[in-house]
Amino acid sequence: MAESSPTSPQPKRAKRECRDEPSALSSSNVCLTEELQCSVCLDVFNDPVSTPCGHNFCKSCLKPYWDNSHIYSCPMCKETFSKRPDLKINTTLRQVALLFIETFNQRRSEVLCDICDERKLKALKSCLVCQASYCETHLELHQKLHSKKHKLMDPVENIKDYICQKHERPLELFCRDDQTCVCVFCTEGDHKTHNTVPLEEESKDKKTQLKKTQTNVQQMILERIKKIQDIRHSAELRKRNTDEEKAASVEVFSALIRSIERCQTELLEMMDEQQKAAEKQDEDLMKDLEQEITELKCRDSELEQLSHTENHLHLIQIDPSLYSPPHTKNWSEISMKTDVSVETLRRALTQLQETLDDKLTQTVLRRMQQYAVDVTLDPVTAHPKLILSEDGKQLKLGARKLKLPDNPERFNRSVNVLGKEGFSSGRFYFEVQVKGKTYWTLGVARESINRKGKITFSPQNGFWTVALKDEHNYLACVNADIPLSLRVSPQMVGVFVDHEEGLVCFYDVENRSHIYSFTGQTFAEKLFPYFSPCRNHEGKNSAPLIISPVHYNK
């Protein structure tokens, strides 16, 4: 008994002319025989294959039908086959189907002569006045009878569509007011006051519009092709970056694993050494105890003998020390440790944590450095007391204000300056030398920040910065400044920004340690590198801020 078959796949249309319209075959006068029609897609066979039971189907219809089931049965008669049949294309049936389609398309595209009685010939022209189509022979006769008074056009099958249904006249004009085709008689009635032009003129205008639209469409095609190329390039770049990141991640985790294994080995070796030292101490203590036991036994024997003597004089003349217990260690003060020191494990884990943190920071900083950009100071934004180097890489505070225009971009109270380059997307990184300074502020600022008067540094006001005050006090600049605890004073500060991630990070480059990060930020506009050398404080803070080239080592 044939088992139930899986749900039949949706009908598929092969890419052939006659299949451009779903109802092309069903609406045709040509009847499809069952031998040329696939029972799955109900269309003419496309690469027909035959099942062992003798039924034919399109290969593209039968393959997914069987791919979605472990039961191989005929979609028509439901006969089940023990194994999946090896299907071969029926070349004869395919040729017949292709010939049928070719004949059908040819017949469908031809307009036949309306005058021919028996075998109708292909029409060369259609007459709008006679509303008929003519082959070559009948066209000559038509021309002789009507000369050139009748309007001829390329043959069309639906010639009535070119005739005014009201006046039975050719549609030769176009009404631009009503956007419809009209005949000459229409212009004397409903369309008398309308703007009408010959069809040829309107057709010419339409062609111009179509040409313009085609140009736009072609441009859209080019833009989308370019977009596809961009996507492919981005995909390739992303894959290459992902592969590099994966390799780098494997390297980092391998190094971390080696550090953990080394820490474990060192801890176990230390514990073994401690165990050996404890065992040695135990052996020494037991030897001392055994020695004391031997000495005490000797004393016990002497005392036993003396306790039985009857020689009173001898008993009185013995060493007085025999009357007192021998001098021994106070063993009650010596405690025996059975637990392993927790402090050893704690110190090892603390050291491991520091190692892992250092390695992680080093790796992150190294990855950030690959996004280094060339930053140059923008003199248009510089406070008048700031002195910028010619190359735009150094700045320090001068003794007096320079005579500079108070343009909207310039800071007029805070001794600040921005970089020339702004970044509205992606990632960027730069490094600034702060060696010798006791005060400074660094970071990034959005383009629309307030540059006049007193400025409060906070993300809400468009500043993401860290600062040094009084030589040793490091701060993250928010509404309520956050004190930062740093192990050493940075000499070179790295600033990293990820626009999409909303991230601004600060790093001590030389010590490869993290200073502070602003996370979860939203950047709705361009960000510019920000610098302030701060006041000189009687010459203690006169050293310049220096934008340094990034030395990136993979």
Side-chain angles (χ1 to χ4, degrees):
M1 180 181 294
E3 300 186 34
S4 59
S5 63
T7 303
S8 299
Q10 293 295 321
K12 298 181 179 179
R13 304 295 180 189
K15 295 180 180 178
R16 285 185 277 179
E17 283 188 41
C18 71
R19 302 189 182 196
D20 290 342
E21 301 173 10
S23 61
L25 295 181
S26 60
S27 63
S28 171
N29 291 329
V30 181
C31 296
L32 291 176
T33 62
E34 292 184 358
E35 288 75 12
L36 292 178
Q37 187 178 20
C38 173
S39 62
V40 175
C41 67
L42 301 179
D43 212 336
V44 177
F45 286 126
N46 182 17
D47 287 339
V49 293
S50 301
T51 60
C53 58
H55 293 113
N56 300 309
F57 305 93
C58 297
K59 185 177 181 181
S60 58
C61 294
L62 193 57
K63 184 179 183 299
Y65 182 80
W66 283 350
D67 286 345
N68 297 328
S69 174
H70 298 296
I71 300 174
Y72 308 119
S73 61
C74 174
M76 183 173 289
C77 68
K78 309 303 181 186
E79 180 178 344
T80 302
F81 314 113
S82 58
K83 64 177 183 178
R84 183 167 181 159
D86 184 18
L87 301 175
K88 303 292 185 182
I89 294 177
N90 189 328
T91 55
T92 302
L93 186 57
R94 179 174 62 179
Q95 291 300 323
V96 172
L98 291 175
L99 181 60
F100 171 80
I101 293 169
E102 183 179 351
T103 303
F104 173 78
N105 286 336
Q106 184 176 1
R107 288 180 179 176
R108 186 180 65 173
S109 62
E110 288 182 352
V111 177
L112 302 180
C113 178
D114 292 323
I115 310 303
C116 292
D117 290 331
E118 297 180 357
R119 182 175 176 272
K120 290 186 176 293
L121 300 178
K122 181 179 179 181
L124 294 182
K125 291 290 181 180
S126 295
C127 177
L128 290 175
V129 177
C130 301
Q131 299 185 30
S133 298
Y134 301 99
C135 65
E136 184 178 5
T137 301
H138 292 109
L139 181 61
E140 291 179 2
L141 180 59
H142 175 273
Q143 292 293 76
K144 288 179 181 179
L145 293 175
H146 303 289
S147 183
K148 295 184 179 180
K149 295 179 181 180
H150 287 196
K151 187 173 181 64
L152 297 177
M153 61 182 295
D154 290 335
V156 291
E157 202 168 314
N158 53 338
I159 196 168
K160 288 186 178 181
D161 293 343
Y162 295 80
I163 304 299
C164 177
Q165 300 300 312
K166 183 177 182 180
H167 302 109
E168 294 291 326
R169 298 290 296 174
L171 297 171
E172 300 176 290
L173 302 171
F174 183 78
C175 177
R176 287 180 172 173
D177 293 341
D178 293 340
Q179 291 291 301
T180 185
C181 295
V182 297
C183 69
V184 175
F185 289 168
C186 291
T187 61
E188 297 175 359
D190 296 340
H191 300 268
K192 186 174 183 179
T193 60
H194 292 184
N195 179 18
T196 58
V197 294
L199 283 181
E200 291 79 3
E201 181 180 339
E202 182 65 20
S203 176
K204 184 178 179 181
D205 290 346
K206 294 294 186 186
K207 284 184 178 179
T208 302
Q209 294 178 17
L210 290 174
K211 188 64 178 178
K212 184 177 179 180
T213 302
Q214 183 182 16
T215 301
N216 292 335
V217 169
Q218 290 173 348
Q219 180 61 33
M220 292 171 65
I221 292 172
L222 292 176
E223 290 173 356
R224 281 148 182 77
I225 291 174
K226 176 65 167 56
K227 192 64 176 179
I228 290 174
Q229 293 173 345
D230 291 343
I231 293 173
R232 285 175 178 168
H233 176 71
S234 298
E236 292 173 0
L237 184 61
R238 183 175 61 251
K239 185 179 185 305
R240 184 162 63 248
N241 290 338
T242 300
D243 291 340
E244 291 177 359
E245 289 289 342
K246 286 170 64 177
S249 299
V250 170
E251 181 181 349
V252 170
F253 278 97
S254 298
L256 294 178
I257 291 171
R258 288 194 296 271
S259 296
I260 294 172
E261 291 175 343
R262 182 169 60 253
C263 181
Q264 180 189 38
T265 301
E266 292 173 355
L267 175 63
L268 294 179
E269 289 177 352
M270 183 184 299
M271 295 175 70
D272 287 340
E273 291 176 359
Q274 290 177 346
Q275 175 64 19
K276 290 179 181 178
E279 290 175 354
K280 177 67 168 55
Q281 184 182 18
D282 292 344
E283 290 177 1
D284 292 342
L285 289 175
M286 287 189 292
K287 286 181 180 179
D288 291 345
L289 284 168
E290 289 172 353
Q291 179 66 31
E292 288 190 1
I293 290 172
T294 300
E295 293 176 356
L296 289 172
K297 284 182 177 180
C298 291
R299 176 64 62 88
D300 181 61
S301 297
E302 288 182 47
L303 294 174
E304 177 68 23
Q305 292 177 3
L306 290 173
S307 66
H308 295 290
T309 184
E310 296 295 335
N311 187 339
H312 303 294
L313 180 61
H314 175 67
L315 188 62
I316 294 172
Q317 292 178 340
I318 61 174
D319 188 347
S321 63
L322 290 175
Y323 290 99
S324 302
H327 179 72
T328 59
K329 291 182 179 180
N330 184 3
W331 293 99
S332 62
E333 297 179 355
I334 299 176
S335 61
M336 308 304 298
K337 296 181 180 179
T338 58
D339 295 330
V340 178
S341 175
V342 177
E343 180 63 20
T344 302
L345 179 60
R346 189 195 67 78
R347 284 199 304 268
L349 292 178
T350 300
Q351 182 180 357
L352 175 61
Q353 181 67 48
E354 292 176 355
T355 301
L356 296 180
D357 289 343
D358 289 344
K359 286 188 176 295
L360 180 60
T361 302
Q362 291 174 19
T363 302
V364 171
L365 179 58
R366 189 164 61 248
R367 303 305 294 173
M368 289 180 176
Q369 286 177 326
Q370 67 180 317
Y371 297 101
V373 294
D374 183 19
V375 175
T376 305
L377 300 170
D378 186 2
V380 175
T381 66
H383 185 277
K385 289 192 71 173
L386 289 178
I387 300 175
L388 278 56
S389 62
E390 291 185 3
D391 62 359
K393 300 296 183 181
Q394 299 187 31
L395 72 153
K396 63 180 180 179
L397 194 68
R400 62 181 184 276
K401 286 186 177 182
L402 301 175
K403 292 182 179 180
L404 298 172
D406 188 19
N407 50 280
E409 297 84 6
R410 191 179 307 282
F411 293 94
N412 68 350
R413 181 171 177 181
S414 299
V415 287
N416 306 332
V417 64
L418 299 179
K420 283 185 179 180
E421 302 81 7
F423 302 88
S424 58
S425 63
R427 303 168 179 172
F428 65 95
Y429 173 87
F430 60 95
E431 294 178 353
V432 184
Q433 180 180 308
V434 296
K435 184 177 181 180
K437 297 194 66 61
T438 56
Y439 286 79
W440 52 258
T441 307
L442 294 174
V444 293
R446 67 181 178 222
E447 190 171 18
S448 63
I449 53 170
N450 173 38
R451 309 183 190 202
K452 308 300 180 182
K454 185 178 179 180
I455 296 174
T456 301
F457 296 95
S458 69
Q460 289 76 10
N461 294 330
F463 293 89
W464 291 267
T465 58
V466 295
L468 168 63
K469 296 182 178 180
D470 299 324
E471 192 172 357
H472 300 295
N473 298 325
Y474 293 92
L475 305 168
C477 302
V478 295
N479 288 331
D481 290 343
I482 300 174
L484 304 177
S485 178
L486 305 183
R487 288 183 292 178
V488 293
S489 297
Q491 303 298 303
M492 184 83 71
V493 177
V495 183
F496 173 78
V497 176
D498 189 326
H499 213 283
E500 281 69 32
E501 290 293 328
L503 179 67
V504 181
C505 297
F506 298 86
Y507 282 85
D508 180 341
V509 177
E510 293 184 353
N511 293 290
R512 295 187 175 274
S513 59
H514 178 246
I515 296 175
Y516 186 77
S517 290
F518 293 92
T519 59
Q521 306 298 304
T522 300
F523 307 127
E525 54 187 275
K526 275 188 177 182
L527 296 179
F528 289 80
Y530 164 86
F531 311 86
S532 176
C534 299
R535 303 295 176 179
N536 277 343
H537 295 278
E538 298 180 351
K540 294 180 181 179
N541 189 41
S542 59
L545 286 177
I546 303 174
I547 302 172
S548 302
V550 176
H551 300 288
Y552 169 59
N553 297 317
K554 290 186 177 181

